[in-house]
């Protein structure tokens, strides 16, 4: 393939192409795609994961932003009936347009690290369509996604993602598996949207607001960081100790604070 087509990795598209066959195999084994399933790959690049995903017999849609990679992807996979190529930005992609039943889409990708957080939030907006997601991300981001309350990694990302999904940090991948090698370690994470939310908030936008406000100053007490939203009495009414710092609170406690805010404020 490289003789036919030479692609220069582009930094602005976050291009670090996987070339380690052992790592590619391990990722595919973690995903376990099967015939009859519907997968969406974000950023197929030169097709390192795409070939194995299609080889399983699954139906595969891929979304690639870099126009220069489109001819190569068409050449490699274009004749395959179960393959659909979308050229565009995954951040703007309407996953509902794929017309799937609830909780069936399987989303995968070795993601460009510069868009991974907004992309995960974009996908969480459509979590009802998704069965699971497997992503390669910066290891540090995976640690934040999978963090537990009380740890230094526990914050807005952990809470908002764990509100919607079960998170599993599967394994780490060193820079040598990529070409060119990134400057940071990477990891594979599995996100499984909950069939039913374990701690549903009355209004999830208020949960976002409380969490953002609380972690704006993570060293301060909740009484202090939340003073523009909830007074000491309201915090207590939510069953929360206002002298704690935000990182000491679990998801259920943040949901109680958001519900307290919903009870006192008319919906925006
Ligand atoms: N999957 C390939 C692999 O593992 O070798 C490529 C991974 S590379 C880290 C990220 C890929 O995402 C690149 O092909 C890049 O062009 C593509 N990409 C970057 N931004 C994107 C976006 N907003 N939407 C869709 N694809 C994007």
């Amino acid at each position: 393939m490289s003789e036919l087509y030479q692609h220069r990795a582009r930094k602005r598209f976050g291009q670090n192409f996987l070339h380690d066959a052992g790592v590619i195999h391990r990722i595919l084994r973690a995903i376990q795609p099967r015939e009859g399933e519907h997968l969406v790959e974000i950023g197929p690049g030169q097709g390192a994961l795409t070939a194995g995903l299609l080889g399983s017999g699954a139906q595969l849609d891929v979304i690639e932003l870099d126009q220069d990679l489109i001819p190569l992807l068409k050449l490699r996979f274009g004749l395959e009936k179960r393959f659909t190529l979308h050229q565009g930005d995954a951040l703007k992609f309407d996953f509902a347009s794929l017309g799937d039943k609830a909780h069936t889409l399987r989303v995968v990708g070795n993601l460009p690290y510069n868009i991974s957080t907004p992309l995960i939030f974009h996908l969480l907006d459509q979590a009802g369509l998704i069965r699971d997601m497997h992503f390669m991300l910066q290891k540090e981001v995976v640690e934040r996604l999978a963090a537990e309350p009380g740890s230094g990694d526990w914050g807005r990302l952990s809470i908002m993602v764990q509100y919607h999904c079960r998170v599993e940090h599967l394994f780490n991948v060193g820079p040598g598996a990529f070409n060119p090698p990134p400057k940071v370690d990477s990891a594979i994470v599995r996100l499984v949207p909950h069939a039913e939310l374990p701690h549903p908030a009355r209004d999830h936008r208020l949960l976002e607001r409380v969490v953002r406000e609380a972690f704006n100053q993570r060293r301060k007490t909740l009484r202090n960081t939340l003073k523009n939203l909830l007074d000491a009495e309201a915090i207590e009414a939510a069953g929360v100790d206002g002298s704690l710092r935000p990182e000491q609170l679990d998801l259920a406690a943040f949901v109680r604070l958001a519900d307290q805010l919903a009870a006192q404020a008319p919906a925006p």
Side-chain angles (χ1 to χ4, degrees), residues 222-224 226-243 253 256-261 263-264:
L222 288 159
R223 210 177 287 129
N224 244 304
L226 294 181
K227 65 174 183 284
N228 293 331
L229 296 179
L230 294 163
D231 61 22
E233 268 171 29
I235 293 176
E236 200 179 314
V240 172
D241 177 353
S243 68
R256 291 200 305 276
L257 288 170
D259 286 352
Q260 191 64 33
L261 185 59
Q264 74 181 27

Side-chain angles (χ1 to χ4, degrees), residues 11-119:
K11 224 175 172 177
R12 74 186 159 102
F13 290 136
Q15 291 178 349
N16 299 96
F17 298 114
L18 269 170
H19 70 89
D20 182 323
V23 170
I24 293 169
H25 186 67
R26 203 167 167 204
I27 297 170
L28 291 168
R29 236 181 19 221
I31 300 171
Q32 288 212 13
R34 291 195 199 285
E35 195 175 338
E37 293 178 347
H38 189 178
L39 280 87
V40 182
E41 184 185 9
I42 297 171
Q46 298 175 308
L49 295 170
T50 318
L53 295 172
L54 261 180
S56 69
Q59 189 189 329
L60 180 67
D61 284 65
V62 302
I63 309 164
E64 175 55 61
L65 181 60
D66 185 353
Q67 302 216 18
D68 289 353
L69 287 167
I70 302 301
L72 175 143
L73 289 165
K74 280 190 177 153
L75 190 65
R76 276 193 82 178
F77 309 112
L79 290 177
E80 187 62 70
K81 276 204 197 79
R82 289 173 287 101
F83 177 78
T84 310
L85 175 58
H86 308 264
Q87 194 272 316
D89 184 349
L91 285 172
K92 297 188 184 138
F93 191 80
D94 175 14
F95 288 82
S97 71
L98 299 176
D100 274 69
K101 289 200 213 88
H103 292 298
T104 50
L105 271 190
R106 307 194 68 200
V107 185
V108 307
N110 169 15
L111 296 187
Y113 294 163
N114 50 340
I115 64 156
S116 57
T117 307
L119 188 62

Side-chain angles (χ1 to χ4, degrees), residues 141-215:
V141 174
V142 171
E143 284 167 351
R144 280 163 51 206
L145 290 172
E148 293 188 4
S151 78
D153 286 327
W154 178 248
R156 177 172 171 250
L157 188 62
S158 341
I159 295 167
M160 293 318 300
V161 171
Q162 291 181 27
Y163 178 76
H164 292 283
C165 300
R166 176 165 61 81
V167 179
E168 284 174 69
H169 179 163
L170 296 182
F171 54 90
N172 298 335
V173 179
F178 305 85
N179 186 15
K183 291 200 176 65
V184 292
D185 281 331
S186 305
I188 297 287
V189 69
R190 176 183 290 144
L191 307 176
V192 184
H194 299 300
E196 255 179 63
L197 296 178
H199 304 288
R202 285 168 64 176
D203 182 342
H204 72 96
R205 289 166 305 175
L206 293 180
L207 176 65
E208 274 172 27
R209 208 157 127 198
V210 167
V211 171
R212 196 175 323 112
E213 195 86 1
F215 283 94

